């Protein structure tokens, strides 16, 4: 059984995942709004470039089936990137009125790179849910796999239930498509004092260069 190439690479550098855990904590200095998920995704893409020297390509803004691709051993690998602190619904479709009929017809086109970060446990875990795992779970759970929002919520899109996500995590662990590390926490109070000053100088430098 062959593990995902990106997981193999990440397993070889636990120090990088420890770094990600510490950066994950720092990102919360700016608050915990939904925007933090986007910041995490941008950091992860840049981390792959800087720490592994990978060629990383972001998906076009109109693309919904994948978020980024990496070239590993001469092959392009596309992923849908999901980051979270708590195991929850993974949204897979955003447009159109949600229904179980739409969910039944949904096609998975690329693996899901699922990254969890627990500030309480000081742990970062990375899973890859391969297309075969997603389709196998669809057969096992049938309609119970899908989260369809009720009428009182935003009616756009649907996703995979948290219970199904946990089963996908188990499948990934069984296949070796999983890596987890613990990291040493940082002193947020000390970092916070320097954060905005450093951030301002970054923005100032970019503004003057532009």
């Amino acid at each position: 059984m062959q593990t995902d190439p990106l997981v193999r690479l990440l397993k070889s550098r636990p120090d990088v995942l420890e770094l990600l855990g510490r950066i994950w904590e720092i990102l919360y200095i700016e608050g915990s709004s939904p925007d933090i998920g986007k910041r995490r995704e941008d950091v992860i893409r840049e981390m792959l470039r800087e720490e592994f020297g990978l060629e990383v390509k972001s998906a076009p803004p109109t693309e919904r089936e994948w978020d980024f691709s990496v070239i590993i051993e001469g092959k392009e690998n596309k992923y849908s990137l999901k980051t979270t602190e708590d195991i929850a619904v993974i949204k897979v479709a955003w447009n159109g009125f949600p229904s179980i009929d739409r969910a039944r017809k949904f096609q998975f086109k690329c693996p899901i790179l699922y990254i969890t970060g627990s500030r309480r446990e000081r742990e970062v875990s990375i899973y890859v849910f391969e297309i075969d795992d997603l389709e196998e779970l669809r057969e096992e759970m049938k309609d119970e796999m899908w989260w369809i929002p009720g009428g009182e919520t935003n009616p756009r899109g649907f996703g995979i239930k948290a219970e199904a996500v946990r089963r996908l995590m188990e499948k990934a662990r069984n296949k070796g498509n999983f890596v987890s590390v613990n990291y040493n926490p940082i002193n947020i109070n000390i970092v916070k004092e320097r954060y905005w000053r450093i951030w301002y100088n970054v923005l100032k430098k970019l503004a003057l260069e532009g």
Side-chain angles (χ1 to χ4, degrees):
M1 184 181 298
Q2 192 172 18
T3 57
D4 179 84
L6 184 54
V7 170
R8 290 200 304 271
L9 198 61
L10 292 168
K11 284 181 176 180
S12 72
R13 292 286 307 277
D15 60 305
V16 173
L17 296 185
E18 291 176 25
L19 174 63
L20 176 60
R22 292 165 68 85
I23 290 174
W24 193 293
E25 289 195 3
I26 292 170
L27 291 175
Y28 280 88
I29 288 174
E30 292 192 38
S32 57
S33 70
D35 289 342
I36 197 169
K38 178 62 177 172
R39 294 200 296 271
R40 285 196 300 245
E41 292 173 7
D42 289 337
V43 164
I44 288 163
R45 280 190 284 260
E46 200 58 38
M47 179 189 79
L48 295 175
R49 292 187 184 100
E50 292 293 325
E51 305 301 331
F52 295 98
L54 293 174
E55 180 182 343
V56 181
K57 180 173 70 174
S58 297
T62 55
E63 178 62 58
R64 291 294 188 182
E65 294 175 355
W66 58 282
D67 294 303
F68 76 98
S69 70
V70 292
I71 306 295
I72 302 177
E73 297 174 355
K75 180 182 177 183
E76 184 178 29
N77 301 269
K78 293 181 178 179
Y79 298 94
S80 173
L81 177 59
K82 309 294 181 183
T83 67
T84 186
E85 284 219 7
D86 301 305
I87 310 306
V89 169
I90 293 179
K91 201 165 184 183
V92 296
W94 290 260
N95 297 322
F97 190 82
S99 70
I100 193 62
D101 288 335
R102 284 195 67 219
R104 288 168 182 160
K105 296 174 184 175
F106 182 80
Q107 292 184 318
F108 294 102
K109 298 293 182 65
C110 65
I112 295 174
L113 181 65
Y114 189 65
I115 303 180
T116 67
S118 171
R119 288 179 291 160
R120 182 179 59 255
E121 302 295 334
R122 311 300 187 196
E123 182 180 52
V124 170
S125 301
I126 295 181
Y127 302 80
V128 169
F129 306 151
E130 295 182 336
I131 295 175
D132 289 349
D133 298 327
L134 292 159
E135 292 297 343
E136 182 178 72
L137 188 68
R138 187 203 296 265
E139 289 299 313
E140 292 171 359
M141 295 189 70
K142 308 296 184 184
D143 290 350
E144 290 303 309
M145 175 178 178
W146 300 107
W147 169 80
I148 309 294
E152 71 280 1
T153 61
N154 187 338
R156 297 172 65 83
F158 55 87
I160 301 172
K161 286 182 178 178
E163 176 189 350
V165 173
R166 292 188 181 93
R167 291 179 62 171
L168 286 167
M169 293 166 70
E170 181 180 0
K171 289 178 183 292
R173 282 192 291 265
N174 291 339
K175 295 175 74 170
N177 281 331
F178 161 76
V179 58
S180 182
V181 300
N182 290 101
Y183 62 89
N184 293 322
I186 63 172
N187 189 325
I188 281 291
N189 291 327
I190 292 176
V191 171
K192 189 182 295 185
E193 292 176 3
R194 301 172 55 212
Y195 178 87
W196 291 110
R197 183 174 68 252
I198 293 171
W199 183 223
Y200 170 76
N201 282 297
V202 168
L203 294 176
K204 179 180 177 180
K205 181 175 184 293
L206 292 172
L208 294 176
E209 287 178 351

